[in-house]
Amino acid sequence: MRTADYLDQLLRKYSGTFDIYQPYVIHGKEYPAYGYFFSHIEKYILVREANMWSADSYEHILFIETESVDQALIDEAYSIVKDYIEPVLVCKGEEMPAEGHMYSYMTISLISEQPLSKEMQKAIKRFKYEKSYKFNIRGFSQAHIICATMEDKKVYTNYVGRKSAKLFQDNFKDICL
């Protein structure tokens, strides 16, 4: 199985709820795809002007195809989250996100041809980036990392990214059909 086939199938699944941009350029480097999701919910009494509360939820997902995963790629993923996704896409260049922001999930999706070494499995499990805004009054941002390996058809995630593992694992089955 090739990473391109896996990515195409994955993007078809995500395109139902995410806006997908292909390719996507960050600081001059081109990545295969980026996905953006936004949800706004609110509670009001009788009329919209009597708004009790509202909340905005976001998810940003960057897809990266690679031959193998090494520490340099993990460091690059962390740098993308810290230096680009959080300040540019979540906060839009401001100190914190707009009012009503509840949470932003920032996901890095690695699609690798080769299996992960034990060290890289540990590095993915330890991957962590979280930031709260005004003691969570303006919400929080949280980084997820997911790695799918084509050769052994396995999926690895950090703790907060574990909910996405099933989608990625099911993607292997869908391609084989």
Side-chain angles (χ1 to χ4, degrees), residues 47-66:
V47 292
R48 286 189 179 240
E49 288 76 28
N51 191 336
M52 293 173 58
W53 58 267
S54 66
D56 297 332
S57 307
Y58 303 86
E59 184 165 353
H60 306 273
I61 184 166
L62 183 68
F63 298 91
I64 302 173
E65 288 180 283
T66 183

Side-chain angles (χ1 to χ4, degrees), residues 89-109:
L89 300 177
V90 174
C91 294
K92 296 177 180 39
E94 300 295 324
E95 188 176 329
M96 64 186 62
E99 274 189 54
H101 175 265
M102 188 165 75
Y103 67 81
S104 289
Y105 293 147
M106 306 170 293
T107 304
I108 302 293
S109 170

Side-chain angles (χ1 to χ4, degrees), residues 24-31 79-80 82-85 87-88:
Y24 194 75
V25 178
I26 298 175
H27 301 304
K29 185 169 181 182
E30 188 174 289
Y31 296 94
S79 176
I80 289 168
K82 182 178 174 281
D83 300 331
Y84 182 77
I85 296 176
V88 175

